[in-house]
Amino acid sequence: MAENLIMHAVRYNSYGGGPAALEHVQVSVPTPNKDEVLMKLEAISLNPVEWKTQKGTFWPLLPYKFPFIPATDVAGEVLGVGSDVKNFKAGDKVVAMLSQINGGGLAEFAVAKESLTVARPPEVSAAESAGIPIAALTAHQALAEAAGIKLDGSGELTNILITAASGGVGHYAVQLAKLGNTHVTATCGARNIELVKSLGADEVVDYTTPDGAALKSPSGRKYDAVIHCATGIPWSTFEPNLSEYGKVIDITPPLTAMFTYYLSKLTFPNKQLIPIHLKAKGENLDYLIKLMKQGKLKTVIDSKHLLSKVEDAWAKSIDGHATGKIIVEP
């Protein structure tokens, strides 16, 4: 397999420091456990959780230990497999989500659990598929589970609002929502309005305008569900825009969200704020990759960066205005 081989990786040794604290190192290629595959990476996707972890947002849970090689969303080719792996062999093209505790994505090679590794068809590029795991799985969970949208198009018409619709999670949420029987209102910056319309949104509002800031639907609709991908919008802005049983599904809930959740249940018993945390499932990842193969889901790539210049990608992610996904290539 790859015993005693050395690879280029990027890690950090303590909390804080941003892009300047990323360290380029030569380390041993990891060895897969019995339920893992070893991959030669072709593309890695950055998510906000990466720089937030470095910043200390998830202290003391993440990272589990220093030094830490960040990133979890990867695509590549299988080089070898553990003794219990049944579905993959050397040469297979795959996409995987690595353990958030162990990380390991910003490197030339990585190991992934077989349960969170899926086959990547030739129609889907490494860069496109690497964007999928955290962002599209979060969008899928918010829509299919929390909002109860049937993505096969059955079910009653549902009015949905998606905030920050041109971002990593948001641009997938728009496309997935339109697989269901939905009317989608979306918010984004003025420069991305046409893009978000092209992804299927029925109406798009510039979030910097008065109506956009108030989350008002141009057609006067009340929302049955909000997929909230932005930050800093108070419950008081959402509440008047919700239908009688409307839900706000918050994909990046701050600690105050739980307080607001219980307060909203007391004040508006039928309307709810629902904080969600991703529960990654291999079958959902496979479903999303199959949608890509069928042309029903695509990744909008903001930019591509070499691993040797990953600091640029890291800074772009922190800036928070990427359109779609930021991709790193070894």
Side-chain angles (χ1 to χ4, degrees), residues 147 149 158-161 223-227 242-243 246-249:
I149 304 298
T158 306
N159 291 317
I160 292 195
L161 169 68
Y223 308 120
D224 303 307
V226 178
I227 310 301
L242 297 176
S243 63
K247 303 172 181 176
V248 176
I249 297 147

Side-chain angles (χ1 to χ4, degrees), residues 150-293:
K150 293 182 169 63
L151 301 185
D152 60 0
S154 64
E156 295 184 9
L157 178 66
T158 306
N159 291 317
I160 292 195
L161 169 68
I162 298 169
T163 62
S166 60
V169 177
H171 90 282
Y172 290 127
V174 170
Q175 297 174 75
L176 291 171
K178 289 308 296 178
L179 297 177
N181 183 13
T182 60
H183 180 281
V184 172
T185 304
T187 68
C188 64
R191 68 189 173 96
N192 288 319
I193 286 176
E194 291 309 314
L195 169 71
V196 173
K197 282 182 181 172
S198 77
L199 297 175
D202 297 287
E203 34 188 31
V204 186
V205 189
D206 177 354
Y207 75 94
T208 65
T209 63
D211 279 356
L215 303 179
K216 283 189 164 46
S217 157
S219 57
R221 291 163 192 261
K222 299 288 188 186
Y223 308 120
D224 303 307
V226 178
I227 310 301
H228 183 33
C229 308
T231 54
I233 300 176
W235 171 255
S236 57
T237 304
F238 289 114
E239 194 280 323
N241 293 300
L242 297 176
S243 63
E244 184 182 359
Y245 292 94
K247 303 172 181 176
V248 176
I249 297 147
D250 193 343
I251 68 153
T252 54
L255 291 175
T256 53
M258 290 312 293
F259 174 74
T260 307
Y261 168 69
Y262 289 113
L263 191 64
S264 69
K265 284 185 82 69
L266 290 170
T267 323
F268 308 99
N270 297 334
K271 301 180 182 184
Q272 294 182 58
L273 174 76
I274 303 175
I276 70 162
H277 298 280
L278 177 61
K279 300 180 188 74
K281 298 175 185 172
E283 61 263 34
N284 291 346
L285 184 56
D286 187 51
Y287 166 75
L288 293 166
I289 295 296
K290 286 191 166 86
L291 286 180
M292 295 192 90
K293 179 184 176 181

Side-chain angles (χ1 to χ4, degrees), residues 12-18 22 47-72 99-103 134 314 317-318:
Y12 54 85
N13 296 299
S14 61
Y15 288 117
L22 298 177
N47 294 283
V49 68
E50 268 90 57
W51 62 261
K52 289 179 181 178
T53 298
Q54 183 199 32
K55 191 178 172 185
T57 302
F58 307 107
W59 180 88
L61 300 174
L62 293 173
Y64 179 61
K65 61 183 178 182
F66 293 114
F68 184 69
I69 299 173
T72 59
S99 154
Q100 286 205 296
I101 290 175
N102 298 324
I134 284 183
W314 203 263
S317 183
I318 292 172

